[in-house]
Amino acid sequence: MSRDDSLSILIVDDSAFFVSLLADKLESNYGMTTTMATNAGEAMLELNRKPVDCIVSDFRMPETDGLELYEMVDEQYDIPFILLTGEGGEEIASRAIRMGIDEYLMKQAVREDEPLELLVNRIRNVVEQRRTQRKYERLVDNSPDEIGQISVTGEILAANETMATAFGVSQDELVGKQLSEFIPDDVAATRLKQSKRAITAGSAVTFQDSIGVRHFHNIAVPLSTAGEVDSVQLVTREITLQKRNEQELEQKTEKLTMINRIVRHDINNDVQLLMGWADIIRDHVDEAGMATVDRIDDTSSHIAELTAIARDFVESLEDDTEIDLEFVNLGRTIKSEVDKKRTAYEDATFVVDELPVMRVRANELLTSVFGNILSNAIRHNDSAEPEVHVDFHETESDVVVEVADNGPGVPDDRKEEIFGKGRMGPKSPGTGVGLHLVYTLVDQYGGDVWVEDNEPRGSIFVVKLPKPAN
């Protein structure tokens, strides 16, 4: 037999023998703590002395019967109540149920059930139900949401403190009033309409509404009373700030889209025109003018790179909340970017290790990661013969790509700073957003990027990306 050492039971019966017998079995066989009373007066005195988890009371007692005792207890305490009676009339059972008594048992059934399993199971059930109800009521009372029970006619049957505070009245002042007395008629009508929908469907219904500039998210849950669904629990949460944030996010997204369109088309087209005009006038200038044409061409190329960075950065921001990753060929991506840089920087030397035949989870912007690192290795290189080495190795869980240069290197106090938004390196002609874009993208891919010292001079940019799960 299981033990119930934590349960304290008050047994009330005008038969001292029955009370003593029942208490002894509950204590010896089930480990419950019992208190005995032979009438309603003694029972109330015992309740004043110490709390109990459940009351088991006889119905037929002199002066005050079990139902009258229940009324006395219910006025002062919240305690599960089990009624025992030797009379099996339906009238008594009906009265007990209407009054709210938790359980109703025939006394004869308890006497004949020698191990008392029937009674003990009922005690356990009503105590557990009451404890669960109390937890729920505490949760409702302490909830930041407005929670109320609303009838099909719009009457407020119950309300938590949050709802009362929102309406500027006490909980007692809410109960019995119409919902439309506290909120605009059209909003009350909508909430009542949605509540009836929930009752008809027999399931929860969610909907949103507004009062002035305030926005609310509502859930109507049908409740059952006396076997008939005739009310709902209406949970209302204010989402004004959330709505405002959503609107601001939409506006920002629209602006980012506009910027992306400008960068993709207008600026990029003008840059291409500049580069084309520079090529045209090469045959019409002397040696001194050729240096100016080269500077125009170099600056135009740099502007083209910056517009590509800006475009990719905008796309990364647009996907910041939820990005779709796919399998991307890492070796092919690196080779493609190296080939582009060899064409753009003819005076630089690129030495590439055997490239990995491996796919990683990324997106099309992975090209921007290595494109920016490679450009950075050349543009910030003060060597007369800039060199860039691209190496690759694997660990058990990651693939690591190292891009080393022979430039001036990065001071220790700036090794983390260079990946920050808007940071600029010494004599940098750029905005610093390129390396921040690298960091942002690699982070979205679940990887990491950092910079180390190269020997005898220069920097090594290390990109670590997780291997895809098998």
Side-chain angles (χ1 to χ4, degrees):
M1 296 182 185
S2 60
R3 307 285 291 181
D4 296 271
D5 302 279
S6 62
L7 295 183
S8 175
I9 313 300
L10 172 60
I11 305 171
V12 187
D13 196 294
D14 59 328
S15 170
F17 173 76
F18 180 78
V19 169
S20 179
L21 181 64
L22 191 58
D24 179 66
K25 289 184 177 181
L26 291 177
E27 289 189 355
S28 61
N29 294 344
Y30 298 95
M32 296 181 180
T33 301
T34 61
T35 303
M36 297 176 285
T38 57
N39 57 61
E42 290 181 9
M44 297 305 294
L45 287 174
E46 293 296 338
L47 290 177
N48 290 331
R49 291 194 184 101
K50 61 180 180 180
V52 299
D53 296 305
C54 181
I55 298 173
V56 178
S57 174
D58 186 23
F59 167 67
R60 185 64 66 189
M61 294 186 295
E63 298 183 4
T64 305
D65 64 27
L67 292 180
E68 293 169 333
L69 172 60
Y70 170 76
E71 290 180 322
M72 296 166 61
V73 171
D74 191 48
E75 287 182 2
Q76 300 183 48
Y77 305 99
D78 180 24
I79 303 173
F81 199 102
I82 297 177
L83 186 69
L84 303 180
T85 179
E87 302 176 20
E90 293 184 2
E91 181 183 350
I92 297 175
S94 179
R95 284 176 58 198
I97 293 172
R98 287 199 306 269
M99 292 174 64
I101 283 179
D102 298 89
E103 278 288 356
Y104 174 89
L105 285 176
M106 295 297 297
K107 203 170 186 179
Q108 187 64 29
V110 175
R111 287 197 185 102
E112 294 174 354
D113 184 15
E114 179 60 28
L116 295 181
E117 285 294 328
L118 178 62
L119 176 60
V120 169
N121 284 337
R122 299 296 175 87
I123 291 174
R124 290 171 180 162
N125 288 341
V126 298
V127 171
E128 181 60 30
Q129 288 172 5
R130 188 60 58 89
R131 288 177 176 175
T132 301
Q133 180 182 350
R134 287 170 183 162
K135 289 179 182 178
Y136 173 74
E137 289 173 350
R138 285 196 297 270
L139 179 64
V140 169
D141 288 340
N142 296 320
S143 173
D145 299 328
E146 301 171 25
I147 302 178
Q149 183 181 356
I150 313 298
S151 74
V152 291
T153 62
E155 181 183 356
I156 301 173
L157 304 177
N160 70 346
E161 183 63 33
T162 304
M163 185 175 180
T165 301
F167 292 163
V169 296
S170 68
Q171 288 172 275
D172 291 339
E173 290 175 304
L174 274 179
V175 176
K177 301 293 181 61
Q178 288 290 311
L179 188 62
S180 57
E181 295 182 41
F182 301 96
I183 58 178
D185 290 343
D186 59 333
V187 178
T190 297
R191 293 185 181 181
L192 188 56
K193 178 182 177 180
Q194 297 296 336
S195 297
K196 290 178 179 178
R197 275 188 58 210
I199 292 173
T200 301
S203 60
V205 170
T206 62
F207 60 98
Q208 295 184 5
D209 55 28
S210 302
I211 300 177
V213 297
R214 301 172 66 194
H215 303 280
F216 301 91
H217 180 81
N218 304 280
I219 304 175
V221 182
L223 298 176
S224 178
T225 304
E228 295 183 4
V229 177
D230 58 4
S231 65
V232 298
Q233 183 179 72
L234 185 63
V235 182
T236 299
R237 172 175 296 180
E238 183 167 0
I239 56 170
T240 303
L241 180 60
Q242 176 185 328
K243 280 287 187 181
R244 186 179 299 123
N245 291 338
E246 289 176 356
Q247 292 170 355
E248 290 177 356
L249 181 60
E250 288 178 2
Q251 293 172 356
K252 288 180 181 178
T253 301
E254 290 176 359
K255 291 177 181 178
L256 287 174
T257 301
M258 183 183 301
I259 292 172
N260 201 6
R261 189 183 305 118
I262 293 172
V263 170
R264 276 182 178 274
H265 300 287
D266 301 350
I267 296 178
N268 193 52
N269 288 343
D270 286 350
V271 169
Q272 295 301 319
L273 286 174
L274 281 175
M275 296 173 69
W277 292 337
D279 287 338
I280 291 174
I281 65 173
R282 283 184 183 278
D283 297 331
H284 304 282
V285 298
D286 56 18
E287 186 175 344
M290 188 63 71
T292 301
V293 173
D294 288 340
R295 286 197 295 271
I296 293 173
D297 190 56
D298 183 62
T299 301
S300 298
S301 297
H302 184 50
I303 293 173
E305 283 188 9
L306 290 178
T307 56
I309 291 172
R311 177 198 66 210
D312 293 344
F313 189 69
V314 168
E315 290 185 2
S316 75
L317 290 177
E318 290 176 338
D319 292 336
D320 192 44
T321 54
E322 183 178 349
I323 61 172
D324 294 325
L325 300 183
E326 56 189 19
F327 288 110
V328 180
N329 189 309
L330 178 61
R332 186 181 302 164
T333 299
I334 296 174
K335 181 180 184 306
S336 174
E337 291 306 307
V338 169
D339 289 343
K340 291 178 185 177
K341 302 311 173 188
R342 280 176 173 153
T343 302
Y345 304 104
E346 296 178 352
D347 295 334
T349 300
F350 292 86
V351 180
V352 183
D353 192 13
E354 182 178 352
L355 291 171
V357 182
M358 176 178 291
R359 297 186 303 167
V360 295
R361 285 187 62 78
N363 58 16
E364 60 182 9
L365 295 181
L366 182 63
T367 58
S368 191
V369 170
F370 294 105
N372 278 289
I373 291 177
L374 291 167
S375 293
N376 185 79
I378 298 300
R379 285 200 168 275
H380 298 284
N381 199 316
D382 59 356
S383 173
E385 299 180 351
E387 292 185 8
V388 178
H389 292 254
V390 181
D391 297 311
F392 156 82
H393 68 270
E394 294 182 64
T395 68
E396 184 175 343
S397 58
D398 302 293
V399 54
V400 181
V401 181
E402 297 179 349
V403 180
D405 63 62
N406 62 340
V410 179
D412 289 341
D413 61 352
R414 298 198 68 247
K415 281 184 168 62
E416 293 185 8
E417 182 181 283
I418 60 171
F419 294 104
K421 184 185 298 184
R423 301 293 185 183
M424 296 199 307
K427 302 179 182 179
S428 171
T431 61
V433 74
L435 289 180
H436 179 63
L437 174 62
V438 169
Y439 172 81
T440 300
L441 292 173
V442 172
D443 184 62
Q444 289 178 347
Y445 303 153
D448 197 6
V449 59
W450 65 91
V451 62
E452 300 175 352
D453 293 328
N454 195 13
E455 294 295 341
R457 73 189 300 265
S459 302
I460 303 175
F461 281 79
V462 185
V463 178
K464 182 174 71 173
L465 298 171
K467 291 180 178 179
N470 294 329

